[in-house]
Amino acid sequence: MKTTHYILLGAVLLVLSACDKVSPIGVLVSGTGVEDRVKMSNAYYQGHKGEGSMLSGYEGDEYTFLVGADSHLTTDDGRMREMLQIALDNNDLLMAHLGDIADTKAEYYIILEDLIDEYREKYAKKYYAEQYLNDENFSLDQVSYPFYPVVGNHDITHNGWALWSNIFHSSFYDVYVLVNLDPPQLDHFIFLDSASGTLGREQVRLLEEGVLNDYYDTGEKIIRHTFVFSHTNIFRPRSVEFASTFPREEMFFLLNKFSEWETDMVFLGHVHKWDYQKVGDTEYLTLDSMCEANNPQPGDYLVRVHVKKDGTISWEKVRMNYTKK
């Protein structure tokens, strides 16, 4: 059924290729720009707020999360599979992906969705073992698999937004990790839509209104750490290197927002080249592409962040070993 669904989706996309109509989230959309994407995503976000967006942070001394970028998945799912397996083996609390998750072809999204469903089941067997094995009413639909991707420019080309949103639904969202009950403390993960190289007016308005920072205006210091994820990069790896970045005004807007949020780390992709910058108290990590086609040799393409119970943050690069068979 899933294959048939995507074949029909691809066929209708071809028919609609000259149209600019906007449909509700998850329904076929052609030529969707950032303003429409954000409006559609906000409608979904508001209707599904809280679903899978609160995680429990500590069973031991730390929790970890894994970040990858620019997988450009096609028929070879080896590197994406490796990332999901690395996270499962290491007990990472969540995974973030920084856009350009697949090249825009319906069959690639069948492969991607099947892979995510496969690892959702593996995740359920590991963390929901009792329910999975003993509760006949237990369904994998009840399992919120902690894989959080941002949308990238390759995800929206050739009508790819319809394919991408069919799986992930929204182009922006946030996640909270509960790290302390008394006093209440949360770590905050903010995922932005920068696939078009601009936030757009609507997303700027939503950020100004505090759509992604519910806990900042409570009068209490509830947020402990803030992590931000974007596809489009803030800084170029080298000043002489061509790379699309945000318009200057938006870059300053974001830098001010990161300061206002007291952001600890910002994760960026897009340019397929590692870069590290620190501005004020905020670290900016631009990740290399984890795609086997871009980097066929094994290498340190992932980043794992360690968040200690005492609030200390550290990070390390994580090696990927998959090579095309």
Side-chain angles (χ1 to χ4, degrees), residues 107-298:
E107 66 178 286
Y108 303 156
Y109 282 83
I110 298 172
I111 294 168
L112 174 64
E113 189 170 15
D114 285 346
L115 183 59
I116 290 174
D117 286 346
E118 176 187 335
Y119 272 85
R120 178 181 283 106
E121 184 170 11
K122 289 182 178 181
Y123 182 84
K125 287 180 179 178
K126 182 170 184 176
Y127 294 106
Y128 298 81
E130 184 175 345
Q131 299 97 311
Y132 185 87
L133 295 173
N134 302 320
D135 186 350
E136 61 182 18
N137 296 317
F138 180 75
S139 167
L140 286 177
D141 293 336
Q142 299 171 249
V143 177
S144 180
Y145 184 52
F147 178 74
Y148 302 100
V150 298
V151 64
N153 57 295
H154 280 266
D155 300 317
I156 61 171
T157 55
H158 305 107
N159 303 299
W161 166 244
L163 297 167
W164 197 94
S165 64
N166 188 68
I167 302 173
F168 303 115
H169 308 300
S170 179
S171 68
F172 73 88
Y173 42 92
D174 62 348
V175 176
Y176 294 95
V177 175
L178 179 65
V179 295
N180 197 22
L181 280 173
D182 188 21
Q185 279 188 314
L186 303 168
D187 289 347
H188 193 188
F189 294 71
I190 298 174
F191 299 83
L192 300 174
D193 181 338
S194 62
S196 298
T198 173
L199 296 172
R201 294 185 301 274
E202 183 68 12
Q203 193 169 193
V204 168
R205 182 184 68 80
L206 293 174
L207 291 173
E208 291 282 38
E209 290 179 359
V211 167
L212 293 177
N213 59 336
D214 313 64
Y215 293 93
Y216 284 90
D217 297 323
T218 61
E220 299 180 69
K221 177 64 175 175
I222 292 179
I223 302 299
R224 185 185 65 166
H225 294 309
T226 298
F227 305 98
V228 178
F229 305 84
S230 163
H231 177 65
T232 296
N233 50 307
I234 300 289
F235 306 107
R236 298 183 182 187
R238 293 187 303 160
S239 61
V240 296
E241 191 165 335
F242 175 78
S244 57
T245 55
F246 288 97
R248 182 177 299 177
E249 294 81 5
E250 286 193 6
M251 184 178 74
F252 288 132
F253 169 80
L254 281 172
L255 292 174
N256 286 332
K257 273 295 172 189
F258 297 157
S259 177
E260 176 188 323
W261 295 339
E262 298 181 356
T263 304
D264 296 272
M265 301 183 74
V266 178
F267 300 90
L268 310 155
H270 186 47
V271 291
H272 300 185
K273 184 162 288 189
W274 170 261
D275 185 48
Y276 175 85
Q277 304 283 343
K278 187 167 185 179
V279 179
D281 294 325
T282 304
E283 294 183 280
Y284 293 81
L285 278 63
T286 303
L287 273 66
D288 201 349
S289 170
M290 60 184 269
C291 173
E292 190 271 339
N294 293 326
N295 287 306
Q297 298 304 315

Side-chain angles (χ1 to χ4, degrees), residues 66-73 76-86 95-102 112 115 147 268-274 287-303 318-323:
L66 191 67
V67 188
D70 297 270
S71 54
H72 291 280
L73 185 147
D76 187 351
D77 67 357
R79 284 280 173 85
M80 179 61 76
R81 177 179 294 276
E82 186 177 16
M83 177 184 177
L84 301 183
Q85 188 64 50
I86 286 171
M95 297 152 283
H97 187 282
L98 303 177
D100 289 357
I101 194 168
L112 174 64
L115 183 59
F147 178 74
L268 310 155
H270 186 47
V271 291
H272 300 185
K273 184 162 288 189
W274 170 261
L287 273 66
D288 201 349
S289 170
M290 60 184 269
C291 173
E292 190 271 339
N294 293 326
N295 287 306
Q297 298 304 315
D300 299 336
Y301 304 126
L302 304 176
V303 167
V318 177
R319 188 170 182 81
M320 303 195 83
N321 292 309
Y322 175 80
T323 56

Side-chain angles (χ1 to χ4, degrees), residues 20-38:
D20 290 314
K21 294 185 179 179
V22 179
S23 301
I25 191 76
V27 182
L28 300 179
V29 180
S30 177
T32 309
V34 62
E35 302 298 347
D36 290 327
R37 274 200 318 275
V38 170

